[in-house]
Amino acid sequence: KWENDFDRLSKQLAMARQLKSIVLVKGAHTAIATPEGEIIFNSTGNPGMATGGTGDVLCVILTSLLAQGYTARDAALLGVYLHGLSGDLVSAEMGQHSLVAGDLIDFLPKAIQSLN
């Protein structure tokens, strides 16, 4: 539990340092904390993604990137960005109100291709 956004970030950073791990807090601007003391905010995503299963999709994206050999930091940065970008692409084409987790998976190839 936290009192405010600053307290949340402080606790997130402390946990990342304590665990010597990357710690994500998914939200309007997903925050990525590193054990080295960085906090990076993601710029992609939208309110339509606040629906059941989208966190599961993020977990699968992160796991896939780790399995491909990305470092934990790079997997977190790229995975969170692609997750949000997929949501933004869904939103642009279909709107936010009807967005479901499976849409993120459907639009993930477009998100990846847009990086090329």
Side-chain angles (χ1 to χ4, degrees), residues 28 42 47 51 53 57-58 77 100 109 111-112 116:
N42 184 50
T51 186
V57 172
L58 176 58
L77 293 172
V100 295
I112 293 168
N116 295 331

Side-chain angles (χ1 to χ4, degrees), residues 2 7 33 60 87-88 104-105:
W2 48 79
D7 188 36
V60 169
D88 290 343
L104 299 179
I105 296 167

Side-chain angles (χ1 to χ4, degrees), residues 8-107:
R8 176 182 63 88
L9 291 173
S10 296
K11 289 182 179 193
Q12 179 183 1
L13 188 56
M15 180 180 279
R17 286 181 172 152
Q18 178 186 356
L19 297 174
K20 296 180 176 73
S21 298
I22 304 295
V23 176
L24 303 177
V25 175
K26 185 177 168 282
H29 298 284
T30 296
I32 302 163
T34 71
E36 295 79 28
E38 294 177 286
I39 295 183
I40 302 130
F41 295 96
N42 184 50
S43 61
T44 60
N46 61 75
M49 296 172 66
T51 186
T54 59
D56 297 326
V57 172
L58 176 58
C59 184
V60 169
I61 293 169
L62 296 173
T63 303
S64 170
L65 293 169
L66 289 169
Q68 292 175 58
Y70 285 86
T71 66
R73 182 184 187 279
D74 289 347
L77 293 172
L78 181 57
V80 167
Y81 182 83
L82 287 171
H83 179 256
L85 183 57
S86 293
D88 290 343
L89 294 171
V90 171
S91 176
E93 190 166 314
M94 300 170 34
Q96 293 179 14
H97 291 80
S98 63
L99 191 152
V100 295
D103 296 331
L104 299 179
I105 296 167
D106 293 340
F107 279 76

